[in-house]
Amino acid sequence: MLSRLALRGGAFTPVLRSELQKRAAIVVVSRSSSGTNKVIEDWDRANKLYYGPERDMKNFPPPVQSETPPPVRMGCIPDSWFQFFYEKTGVTGPYVFGLGTLTFLLSKEIWVIEHGFMEFITFWAMFTILTKKLGPGMAKYFDSQTESWRAKYWDGPMTENKKTADTSVAEIEKAIWREDGQKYLFEAKKENVDLQLEAIYRQRLAEVSQAIKSRLNYQMDVEGTKRRFEQKHMVNWIVDSVVKGITPDQEKQALLKCIEDLNKLSTKAVA
Amino acid sequence: MASKRVAKSAVDWASFAQRVPPSQTEIFRAFKAKSESFVSRIHQFPEELPKIDWAMYKSKIAMPGIVDTFEKAYQSVSVPYPKDKANTKAKVDAEQKDAAAVSAKEIAKAREEIATAQAFVSKLQSLPPLEEFTQQMVADYFPEQARNPWEKPSIWPHTKYNQIGGTDSHEIK
């Protein structure tokens, strides 16, 4: 019986075991461990390929698409052109060159001002107005699109993966910590055996004293009953002997005495 | 009385309870109740041989010698301490050893998983910034997701649903 009881708690062990197995299975999101290892391998290989020691980072830095166009002056002329002139002609150089070129084109009638010139002005005027009016709104819209795309396909998965990995690490750590519980389990099981032995021992002690007490009580009862019977018998015997000792003559005298007494009483009552 | 006497549980039940996985609290509770019932059974009986009021019996029992005989016998009685005949403790020990071996194996496996997860996190940091990615880099960094018509040609229209084995008709990408 002891063994059965002690081992009944044994249902614990396989469950504790399977718990950890279950935990280990959900590690790193939907990826299996081997899948994660493959991903890590892929990235290692690619990192070596693109950012390895053979890559000449100085002369061939990674091409980065700039977010905004390079700076311009007067709305459309690149600032780099002005910088080009600055070293050779000073600050006014580019303006002089631009105006000179324009004058040259007009005076030599290379650029002819004819009846279609109005279209040129209106086109660029409209272009400028639309750019100023709609440009900021469109830029904002496209920025927000880019941001949401980035959050959905890059930043989001990045943090999510990190979080999942961290939580699963924490969970596994906890499961490992819980494995310690087995120590308590087996301690308790062994103690249960001791407890049961102790209970049986104490029960035996109680039984011994109970047996002795019952025998003594029996003896006491036997003697008590015997004494009671003796007493009862003695009383009966004495009473019987006394009753037997009364003769008919004595009885008659007693009766007469009674009648006499009654008569006396009646006369007294009448008087 | 060879083995040690116990009267109450020495197990640290509070720390034990903390370590029980939530899915097993029911089993744990049943186990604890069982252990507590053993303790309460012990306390139903006195710890030592109970004292008998010999003087009372001596005064009431007339038969000469009987109480003295009983008293002497009672004082010299030795109650044998029960033995663990089925050797349950050894069985529990063996069970513990088995469980420890399995547990060690599982813990080693779990530690491996932790190492993998941590390596994965550190590799996430080593990915180049998004701005530097080119189509070629995507193909090298994410070969599973990237289009690869040479090794894994797809059927027009190139959605997942229209490929062989595609099931979700609402899936767009």
Side-chain angles (χ1 to χ4, degrees):
Chain A
M1 182 196 82
L2 286 181
S3 63
R4 198 145 39 85
L5 277 178
L7 291 174
R8 194 176 289 163
F12 246 54
T13 6
V15 187
L16 274 179
R17 243 177 264 150
S18 65
E19 186 70 17
L20 188 53
Q21 277 164 351
K22 229 184 335 179
R23 283 265 159 283
I26 53 162
V27 181
V28 191
V29 229
S30 50
R31 284 193 196 92
S32 67
S33 173
S34 61
T36 312
N37 283 332
K38 193 186 171 294
V39 167
I40 291 174
E41 262 173 42
D42 279 347
W43 290 353
D44 274 341
R45 204 184 51 238
N47 271 338
K48 209 174 147 194
L49 194 63
Y50 290 100
Y51 297 92
E54 284 182 20
R55 168 86 186 251
D56 184 1
M57 291 295 258
K58 208 168 161 190
N59 295 323
F60 301 97
V64 180
Q65 189 177 11
S66 60
E67 197 183 335
T68 51
V72 291
R73 280 196 205 177
M74 294 164 30
C76 61
I77 303 164
D79 191 45
S80 56
W81 294 6
F82 287 87
Q83 296 306 323
F84 172 76
F85 274 101
Y86 179 74
E87 285 170 16
K88 294 176 173 66
T89 63
V91 177
T92 51
Y95 300 100
V96 171
F97 175 76
L99 282 171
T101 312
L102 193 64
T103 320
F104 168 72
L105 289 175
L106 289 171
S107 71
K108 290 293 173 192
E109 290 200 338
I110 295 170
W111 185 5
V112 184
I113 309 279
E114 24 79 292
H115 58 273
F117 187 70
M118 272 314 282
E119 275 176 29
F120 177 84
I121 294 173
T122 20
F123 175 80
W124 287 109
M126 283 312 292
F127 181 86
T128 313
I129 290 166
L130 285 177
T131 308
K132 293 280 178 201
K133 287 273 174 206
L134 305 180
M138 278 168 77
K140 217 170 168 185
Y141 170 73
F142 287 125
D143 276 354
S144 73
Q145 288 290 304
T146 314
E147 281 303 311
S148 66
W149 185 92
R150 201 193 155 94
K152 190 174 173 192
Y153 293 108
W154 187 256
D155 292 341
M158 205 76 145
T159 46
E160 205 175 289
N161 271 316
K162 221 165 119 186
K163 213 168 79 187
T164 323
D166 285 346
T167 41
S168 59
V169 164
E171 267 178 27
I172 298 172
E173 291 280 10
K174 185 131 200 223
I176 289 174
W177 177 72
R178 274 181 178 147
E179 281 291 291
D180 270 5
Q182 296 211 353
K183 185 184 74 191
Y184 294 100
L185 172 68
F186 290 109
E187 198 183 313
K189 277 189 186 182
K190 274 188 258 181
E191 199 188 61
N192 280 352
V193 175
D194 281 340
L195 286 175
Q196 287 175 82
L197 291 177
E198 174 71 16
I200 291 172
Y201 175 68
R202 286 191 182 189
Q203 201 175 357
R204 283 179 186 177
L205 290 182
E207 272 169 14
V208 166
S209 84
Q210 207 54 46
I212 296 258
K213 263 189 188 166
S214 68
R215 275 164 181 71
L216 286 173
N217 283 342
Y218 171 73
Q219 185 63 28
M220 210 162 72
D221 282 351
V222 163
E223 285 185 7
T225 316
K226 208 169 162 190
R227 213 177 298 129
R228 208 165 58 241
F229 261 101
E230 281 173 357
Q231 224 167 5
K232 201 172 166 192
H233 184 71
M234 181 78 89
V235 169
N236 283 347
W237 179 65
I238 290 170
V239 169
D240 281 354
S241 309
V242 169
V243 169
K244 264 184 212 157
I246 300 169
T247 56
D249 200 29
Q250 273 175 334
E251 218 177 320
K252 210 176 184 176
Q253 273 177 11
L255 205 61
L256 284 174
K257 179 83 169 91
C258 284
I259 292 166
E260 204 175 311
D261 284 350
L262 278 174
N263 281 336
K264 264 184 205 169
L265 281 172
S266 65
T267 49
K268 246 184 218 169
V270 169
Chain B
M1 266 174 257
S3 79
K4 70 184 169 97
R5 309 252 327 243
V6 283
K8 62 175 196 271
S9 184
V11 177
D12 189 357
W13 286 99
S15 343
F16 188 6
Q18 278 178 351
R19 283 171 168 79
V20 173
S23 59
Q24 293 170 38
T25 24
E26 287 304 314
I27 310 173
F28 170 71
R29 216 169 282 153
F31 181 68
K32 197 182 173 194
K34 191 91 211 162
S35 301
E36 271 162 6
S37 79
F38 292 146
V39 175
S40 70
R41 216 173 90 196
I42 281 183
H43 288 293
Q44 281 173 8
F45 304 110
E47 194 180 347
E48 300 298 334
L49 263 183
K51 293 237 159 29
I52 294 174
D53 191 359
W54 298 107
M56 189 269 284
Y57 283 115
K58 255 181 207 164
S59 68
K60 289 210 174 141
I61 294 174
M63 190 186 263
I66 183 166
V67 179
D68 287 334
T69 325
F70 269 136
E71 192 177 355
K72 214 175 276 168
Y74 189 66
Q75 264 148 17
S76 63
V77 75
S78 79
V79 179
Y81 199 80
K83 279 206 182 73
D84 184 5
K85 268 186 205 144
N87 214 1
T88 319
K89 271 192 176 179
K91 272 182 208 164
V92 173
D93 275 335
E95 205 179 72
Q96 183 172 16
K97 212 184 258 175
D98 287 353
V102 174
S103 168
K105 215 186 270 171
E106 290 300 330
I107 285 175
K109 217 195 263 171
R111 292 235 179 272
E112 224 167 80
E113 294 289 346
I114 288 177
T116 311
Q118 278 165 348
F120 178 68
V121 170
S122 69
K123 281 292 158 208
L124 271 182
Q125 318 287 351
S126 80
L127 282 181
L130 181 60
E131 287 76 16
E132 286 183 15
F133 265 98
T134 59
Q135 289 290 340
Q136 193 186 350
M137 282 167 84
V138 170
D140 278 319
Y141 275 95
F142 305 100
E144 300 292 320
Q145 282 102 314
R147 292 231 166 106
N148 190 353
W150 294 275
E151 282 164 26
K152 294 182 290 179
S154 56
I155 302 162
W156 187 91
H158 303 278
T159 56
K160 270 192 183 174
Y161 175 54
N162 289 289
Q163 305 312 308
I164 295 157
T167 46
D168 187 359
S169 62
H170 295 291
E171 198 166 17
I172 294 168
K173 284 196 177 172

